[in-house]
Amino acid sequence: MKLTLDPEYEAFRAEVAETLAKNVHLAPTADDKGYKNPKRIAWQKFLIENGLAARTIPKEYGGYGAEPDILKARIIAEEFARTRIPGPMAGQGISMFVPTLLELGTEAQKQAYIRPTIQGEMIWCQGYSEPGAGSDLAALRTSAVEDGDHYVINGSKIWTSTAKQADMIFCLVRTDPAAKKHEGITYITFPMSTPGIEVRPLVDMTGTANFNEVFFTDVRVPKSGVIFAPNKGWQVANATLTHERGMLGDPNATKARLVELIALMQAETMNGERLIDNPLLRDRLMKLQAEVYAMQANGLRITTSRLQGQPAGLAGLVVKLQGCDLNHEIARLAIDALGDLGILYEEGEHLRANGSWQWRYMYDLGLIIGGGTAQIQKNIIAERGLEMPREPKLAKA
Amino acid sequence: MEFALSEDQRMLQDSLKGVLGDAASLDRMRKIAADDVGEGSALDEALAGFGLSALPVPESAGGLGLGALDACLVQEALGYNVAPSRFLATAVAARVFAGKPEILGGLASGDVKFALAVTELFSRRDGAGVELKGGKLSGKSLLAQSVDGATHLLVADAAGTLHSVEAAAAGVTVMRTIDRTRSFHEVTLDGATPLASATPDAETMAFARLLVAADTLGAAQAMIDKAVAYAKERQQFGRVIGSFQAVKHMCAEMAAKLEPSRALIWHAAHALDIGDSEGPFMANLAKAHLAEVGTFVARTSTEVHGGMGFTDLVGLHYWYKRIGVNRQLLGSPEQARQTAAQLQGLVV
Ligand SMILES: Cc1cc2nc3c(=O)[nH]c(=O)nc-3n(C[C@H](O)[C@H](O)[C@H](O)COP(=O)(O)OP(=O)(O)OC[C@H]3O[C@@H](n4cnc5c(N)ncnc54)[C@H](O)[C@@H]3O)c2cc1C
């Protein structure tokens, strides 16, 4: 057990903290909204140049080009969470597509996509789910038929986050309808401006359209967009999903929210009493604090396993389920603590924290579902973590 | 950075598991629960042979000088086997009397055996409580632990000071609890002379609570292991019940809650070991958290076993009761959370 860092790393932490403190005025604020916002792009470029974003992506693709170092990555994440300065961009292109491309893409694909993506100038969406294929992703039916050096795509996708803003899509299509469920799927990328694509925003419970329906009618796309190999898309998608689940349970982000909640409960009063002085609310707060500390310590265990090149086992498999649920519970307590003012939303003099707790209480429920529902996570924990038997296949009628 | 058990710690864990596997079999626990004194002493001897009493005593006093994390691993193993032991009392006494080599030496050699009578620090009832007057201790302490075979008692007075008194100076009555593997006593003092006294700091009390949490961790892990093993064996509707998703999900939920709790215990113990200011409040959070997670696991594991879980036949109830009693020992989860809030300065 050694939680202290070697001097080299402590020096690195100090360096990161100093860079952030000195340049915080460059960081975007809540007012700098939207994709391709100049302030956000400038900040992202600054972070890349200083090794605080796209750190291990090779220089020739626009990254910082550092050797992978789990501890340095961790320190950077911790410093952003601690200082609450806006961190690197984390869209699906950056967090999921770029790592996949680095692993399995061709040189030309890497050259074309990585630089603009990590700089926030090329937005991606993930075209996996379909109306008939959510948890059962491999049941997808959107078809891609060969036509010379092109595919012609027909079908539709749903729940596609940021499709409206996206320049590009990484998409799963069925290229071999005769093959087994998992074997006829291809992972392909193409521009969202290709003729025949229609995007219809889907308003979710937050009141905004965070995701969309996407329809493909005779969409002709070049075969050069295929990642890895035709009919091998399932393996590629699995590589992406690992990145997605890791992103969806970050204990540093959760801890930062808890700190925010504690500050809220210390500052806000009801009937002249600080919320933190209400024993029932405080008890709930301490319950959640215990879980946050447990998840954080669990994260330390995972980091150590990775440093030692060992599989993280159960400690790794439980992160998405526990982490996403915990975020939702933190938001729930914030709203309960605010009491009747907790029901306000969007605007108004009495709204607290810009309505962010209400927004999170709703949006976080989506994150419990997205990237694999809680039930699917439990299947994974039971079958891979506890080695319990798989559900027997239904007998063919 | 390394957040993992050391080679030595894994060896300690493994060898203690081996000893307990033989010396604390379910068969023996049943006999102990039926008040078979001989079986209780056989277990005590095996644990003494392992050198349990010397582990938490500093090397300078003839002990092994192991820290809070090591102590948690020991207590976890005891909980895993629902084994009664005075290890908790010994470890707490070793901290309370850290500056008193004469007491520590006796602890390390096993000649001095402490019982723990500190319940009134957390929940004092009408008619109970020990007062120090004119240098003598009088009064009652409820639910004292490890009284059987003790040479000394570690007694809390109403002012929160801990005293060592000779066990012979106390009148004791058994208090029956739901957990029959461990014994609890009502202790009566009538003008007993303190042999040594010390005021415990926040770290000491947090450490005591953390050990109870570690005990629950072990007991809960045992209940998950038993549930998973049972689910892979028991057949219904022509297939093993572990292939039914409802059953799998019960097991997955238990594991998902317990696994981060294990990391929390390690973290809190390590923080106490290095004197990190977050140590005491993390230990209190851990006490409360394991009480909640343990209760969930105790219930769910029993459900996975179906009617069998409710019977005396598989003995699962020993773990259920161990967890239930730990939940209340040395302070309820609500009390531990209140302490955690105070230690952070969130409330006065
Ligand atoms: C906020 C958000 C963002 C998203 N972003 C994207 C995106 O950008 N791109 C994209 O492709 N997709 C996206 N998704 C889709 C997401 O991956 C799916 O919603 C998710 O995988 C669940 O599929 P479904 O909605 O079809 O639910 P269903 O699969 O129909 O599930 C309905 C219920 O049945 C349960 N269930 C289903 N199968 C099983 C089983 N085997 N065992 C137990 N229970 C089961 C589920 O747990 C759930 O409770 C997003 C979803 C959300 C909520």
Side-chain angles (χ1 to χ4, degrees):
Chain A
M1 221 26 110
K2 176 174 156 291
L3 291 188
T4 50
L5 295 170
D6 290 338
E8 174 202 350
Y9 287 104
E10 284 303 349
F12 180 74
R13 185 190 294 282
E15 210 180 286
V16 172
E18 193 189 318
T19 309
L20 289 182
K22 269 196 190 150
N23 296 285
V24 59
H25 60 281
L26 299 175
T29 65
D31 294 332
D32 302 306
K33 287 195 172 68
Y35 295 92
K36 302 192 189 170
N37 175 299
K39 191 107 190 248
R40 291 173 68 170
I41 289 183
W43 179 240
Q44 178 74 2
K45 284 185 181 163
F46 169 85
L47 294 180
I48 295 174
E49 278 156 24
N50 287 276
L52 298 173
R55 188 175 162 81
T56 56
I57 292 175
K59 272 209 158 71
E60 68 253 45
Y61 308 134
Y64 180 75
E67 284 296 305
D69 185 321
I70 294 165
L71 288 183
K72 286 189 176 167
R74 197 186 161 87
I75 289 170
I76 294 171
E78 283 171 356
E79 287 306 302
F80 278 113
R82 187 182 62 79
T83 57
R84 316 229 8 258
I85 294 173
M89 291 183 183
Q92 292 175 326
I94 295 175
S95 328
M96 290 177 241
F97 179 65
V98 168
T100 307
L101 199 58
L102 280 169
E103 209 177 306
L104 302 167
T106 63
E107 186 54 31
Q109 288 168 336
K110 292 179 196 172
Q111 288 290 351
Y113 298 137
I114 296 181
R115 183 187 304 270
T117 303
I118 59 177
Q119 293 190 343
E121 279 167 345
M122 183 181 275
I123 307 296
W124 290 79
C125 61
Q126 180 195 49
Y128 286 9
S129 307
E130 295 183 11
S135 300
D136 186 11
L137 185 56
L140 63 93
R141 288 166 58 185
T142 292
S143 72
V145 177
E146 280 185 76
D147 180 14
D149 54 4
H150 281 69
Y151 282 111
V152 177
I153 300 180
N154 279 286
S156 72
K157 296 283 171 184
I158 192 168
W159 320 124
T160 323
S161 305
T162 64
K164 192 91 194 134
Q165 298 84 1
D167 307 286
M168 297 288 295
I169 184 169
F170 54 97
C171 193
L172 292 176
V173 292
R174 187 158 300 281
T175 34
D176 183 355
K180 284 193 198 148
K181 204 170 159 186
H182 295 86
E183 287 168 12
I185 297 172
T186 296
Y187 189 108
I188 189 167
T189 60
F190 47 89
M192 287 299 282
S193 57
T194 315
I197 302 181
E198 189 200 342
V199 177
R200 289 189 212 149
L202 253 176
V203 174
D204 61 54
M205 70 158 90
T206 66
T208 27
N210 289 296
F211 45 50
N212 308 268
E213 292 176 279
V214 182
F215 300 89
F216 305 110
T217 315
D218 295 331
V219 178
R220 254 179 87 82
V221 304
K223 282 183 174 171
S224 58
V226 171
I227 306 295
F228 193 46
N231 299 326
K232 296 275 183 249
W234 189 250
Q235 288 94 303
V236 188
N238 269 317
T240 329
L241 283 173
T242 320
H243 297 297
E244 181 168 17
R245 282 177 199 140
M247 186 181 78
L248 287 173
D250 173 15
N252 292 312
T254 305
K255 182 149 186 212
R257 284 189 186 194
L258 183 85
V259 170
E260 232 177 283
L261 174 56
I262 293 175
L264 173 86
M265 289 177 64
Q266 285 177 309
E268 182 78 24
T269 64
M270 196 192 295
N271 300 326
E273 181 191 58
R274 293 190 312 161
L275 297 180
I276 195 97
D277 290 327
N278 176 315
L280 296 178
L281 293 173
R282 184 169 66 242
D283 191 59
R284 278 177 64 186
L285 178 69
M286 289 300 102
K287 265 189 193 169
L288 293 179
Q289 190 183 41
E291 289 199 37
V292 171
Y293 272 79
M295 286 313 291
Q296 205 190 4
N298 191 60
L300 290 171
R301 247 181 109 185
I302 297 171
T303 304
T304 298
S305 301
R306 288 177 58 204
L307 282 169
Q308 296 174 344
Q310 307 279 341
L314 268 177
L317 293 173
V318 303
V319 170
K320 202 238 162 198
L321 178 70
Q322 287 296 94
C324 288
D325 190 62
L326 186 51
N327 285 340
H328 193 240
E329 286 298 308
I330 291 173
R332 185 163 80 93
L333 173 55
I335 287 174
D336 282 351
L338 286 169
D340 44 7
L341 292 190
I343 63 180
L344 299 176
Y345 192 43
E346 288 184 350
E347 57 188 23
E349 187 192 340
H350 300 289
L351 189 64
R352 302 295 196 260
N354 256 324
S356 60
W357 291 112
Q358 291 81 344
W359 192 83
R360 285 167 179 172
Y361 179 62
M362 294 185 271
Y363 192 69
D364 287 353
L365 181 56
L367 295 186
I368 290 174
I369 298 165
T373 65
Q375 286 64 39
I376 296 298
Q377 299 306 316
K378 287 178 201 171
N379 286 350
I380 293 173
I381 293 166
E383 289 170 7
R384 296 188 206 158
L386 300 173
E387 292 166 12
M388 298 183 78
R390 290 178 170 272
E391 199 102 359
K393 296 263 180 287
L394 286 177
K396 290 247 160 56
Chain B
M1 196 220 62
E2 189 186 50
F3 186 72
L5 299 181
S6 67
E7 191 62 34
D8 284 350
Q9 284 163 336
R10 280 199 300 271
M11 269 169 55
L12 169 69
Q13 231 180 4
D14 287 346
S15 50
L16 184 54
K17 260 185 208 157
V19 170
L20 286 166
D22 296 334
S25 63
L26 178 57
D27 198 35
R28 172 165 283 160
M29 285 315 124
R30 283 185 185 287
K31 291 180 183 152
I32 290 176
D35 293 332
D36 185 329
V37 179
E39 294 292 322
S41 356
L43 172 62
D44 284 347
E45 271 162 38
L47 292 178
F50 185 79
L52 216 56
S53 56
L55 292 180
V57 177
E59 279 172 286
S60 57
L64 286 166
L66 299 186
L69 180 53
D70 309 287
C72 283
L73 298 176
V74 169
Q75 195 67 52
E76 179 189 344
L78 293 166
Y80 192 90
N81 283 69
V82 289
S85 151
R86 69 175 67 258
F87 180 72
L88 171 71
T90 309
V92 172
R95 288 213 163 210
V96 171
F97 296 124
K100 299 199 158 58
E102 63 286 3
I103 298 181
L104 296 177
L107 272 177
S109 66
D111 295 336
V112 172
K113 295 190 172 76
F114 269 101
L116 198 58
V118 299
T119 300
E120 285 67 34
L121 284 180
F122 310 102
S123 54
R124 185 168 167 193
R125 302 304 160 120
D126 287 347
V130 173
E131 304 274 350
L132 180 69
K133 267 194 212 132
K136 305 273 185 194
L137 292 164
S138 297
K140 278 187 181 145
S141 180
L142 306 184
L143 291 164
Q145 303 177 46
S146 304
V147 168
D148 282 330
T151 60
H152 292 72
L153 306 178
L154 186 64
V155 187
D157 70 19
T161 302
L162 296 181
H163 308 275
S164 159
V165 298
E166 271 181 26
V172 297
T173 324
V174 170
M175 289 180 84
R176 287 244 182 265
T177 72
I178 54 170
D179 178 0
R180 296 291 296 274
T181 60
R182 289 180 287 184
S183 65
F184 294 88
H185 288 81
E186 177 181 336
V187 167
T188 310
L189 297 173
D190 187 7
T193 311
L195 305 172
S197 306
T199 305
D201 48 18
E203 278 83 2
T204 303
M205 294 334 288
F207 170 69
R209 283 182 166 171
L210 185 61
L211 281 181
V212 177
D215 194 79
T216 295
L217 172 68
Q221 184 62 59
M223 288 194 92
I224 296 179
D225 291 353
K226 286 173 198 294
V228 170
Y230 187 77
K232 288 181 185 173
E233 229 170 60
R234 166 76 173 163
Q235 299 230 358
Q236 288 290 281
F237 301 98
R239 52 194 248 212
V240 292
I241 58 168
S243 70
F244 291 116
Q245 207 178 46
V247 175
K248 272 196 276 200
H249 284 197
M250 285 199 269
C251 293
E253 281 167 17
M254 290 193 278
K257 286 182 196 283
L258 196 68
E259 215 42 46
S261 312
R262 176 185 312 285
L264 177 61
I265 299 236
W266 290 4
H267 200 183
H270 178 65
L272 287 177
D273 277 335
I274 62 170
D276 182 333
S277 62
E278 290 199 327
F281 91 70
M282 268 165 43
N284 276 281
L285 286 180
K287 161 73 167 106
H289 188 57
L290 266 295
E292 307 294 3
V293 171
T295 304
F296 173 78
V297 170
R299 174 214 155 136
T300 309
S301 170
T302 308
E303 280 181 44
V304 168
H305 283 79
M308 210 35 113
F310 187 59
T311 67
D312 180 49
L313 293 171
V314 291
L316 194 71
H317 63 94
Y318 290 113
W319 282 265
Y320 188 94
K321 292 166 182 171
R322 179 92 169 196
I323 290 169
V325 166
N326 284 350
R327 185 178 167 96
Q328 310 304 338
L329 279 188
L330 307 189
S332 68
E334 288 75 16
Q335 287 176 312
R337 287 193 285 266
Q338 173 69 359
T339 311
Q342 285 165 339
L343 287 170
Q344 291 172 76
L346 294 180
V347 279
V348 283

